[in-house]
């Protein structure tokens, strides 16, 4: 079986859709955060697939940029979630609806 560009694009779209609906439907901030990371990985997979099948390095450069942004996102995002949990004792979105307190 030969794996072509369409297979990678379908897998990337499926991963992105799962992440997108996870962000829309889930109530836990950690799960929402993981769904955002899944969407980021899906875009990375698509860029690598396009880069490989076009024979250029443009997609690989974008992947390095995305990995850098993802590392910063992990540090800041997890710090915010931990700070919210320490202050409010919950990570549920419904209970984090006020900016006061």
């Amino acid at each position: 079986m030969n794996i072509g560009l369409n297979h990678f694009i379908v897998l990337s779209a499926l991963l992105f859709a799962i992440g997108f609906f996870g962000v829309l439907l889930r109530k836990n901030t950690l799960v929402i955060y993981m769904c955002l990371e899944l969407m980021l990985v899906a875009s990375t997979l698509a860029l690598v697939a396009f880069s490989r099948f076009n024979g250029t390095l443009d997609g690989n450069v974008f992947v390095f940029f995305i990995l850098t942004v993802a590392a910063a996102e992990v540090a800041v995002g997890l710090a915010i979630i931990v700070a919210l949990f320490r202050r409010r004792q919950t990570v549920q979105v419904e209970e984090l609806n006020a900016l006061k307190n």
Side-chain angles (χ1 to χ4, degrees):
M1 180 176 172
N2 191 9
I3 298 175
L5 179 61
N6 291 335
H7 294 97
F8 286 109
I9 299 304
V10 168
L11 177 64
S12 175
L14 183 65
L15 288 174
F16 192 87
I18 290 171
F20 181 72
F21 286 114
V23 168
L24 291 179
L25 300 176
R26 303 301 291 197
K27 305 295 183 194
N28 189 327
T29 54
L30 285 174
V31 175
I32 291 171
Y33 187 73
M34 287 189 292
C35 290
L36 285 172
E37 290 294 325
L38 186 62
M39 292 169 62
L40 200 60
V41 169
S43 65
T44 303
L45 178 65
L47 286 172
V48 168
F50 281 127
S51 176
R52 182 174 183 263
F53 283 97
N54 286 330
T56 63
L57 293 177
D58 296 341
N60 294 338
V61 172
F62 278 118
V63 167
F64 284 123
F65 179 71
I66 288 172
L67 289 176
T68 305
V69 170
E73 177 191 346
V74 165
V76 173
L78 286 179
I80 290 172
I81 291 172
V82 168
L84 278 173
F85 180 75
R86 285 183 179 169
R87 186 167 181 96
R88 306 245 178 116
Q89 300 299 318
T90 184
V91 290
Q92 297 299 319
V93 174
E94 298 96 14
E95 299 174 19
L96 299 173
N97 57 3
L99 295 177
K100 296 180 182 177
N101 299 332

